[in-house]
Amino acid sequence: MTISVGIYGYGNLGKGVELAVNASSDMELKAVFTRRSVDSVKIASDVTVVNIKDVSSWKDKLDVLILCGGSATDLPQ
């Protein structure tokens, strides 16, 4: 069974999670979610970059969403 993974946040933490997921034989990265403009986010993997406002449309496509918010001051209030 392959675990479908999404990443929310693509800073240093998100990039590290991307590498870890891609190195795992039982996980597959499906999407990266961001608050930034999706066109401005360049990721190493060949997956979709999605605005976080559309995350609910992915609820049946992901098994896990890994939150890579960074610090308490970076997360939405």
Side-chain angles (χ1 to χ4, degrees):
M1 178 180 161
T2 301
I3 300 167
S4 298
V5 178
I7 297 172
Y8 174 34
Y10 197 70
N12 290 332
L13 289 173
K15 291 173 186 175
V17 170
E18 177 188 25
L19 292 174
V21 168
N22 288 341
S24 177
S25 62
D26 63 346
M27 299 176 111
E28 182 179 4
L29 183 60
K30 295 289 188 175
V32 171
F33 298 87
T34 184
R35 290 182 292 155
R36 295 184 272 164
S37 164
V38 296
D39 296 330
S40 71
V41 179
K42 305 300 181 211
I43 60 174
S45 302
D46 186 27
V47 297
T48 304
V49 178
V50 182
N51 188 283
I52 193 61
K53 293 176 185 173
D54 299 322
V55 70
S56 62
S57 67
W58 285 77
K59 70 177 185 171
D60 295 328
K61 300 174 189 172
L62 300 175
D63 297 312
V64 176
L65 179 63
I66 301 175
L67 305 179
C68 300
S71 68
T73 60
D74 185 44
L75 297 173
Q77 300 296 318

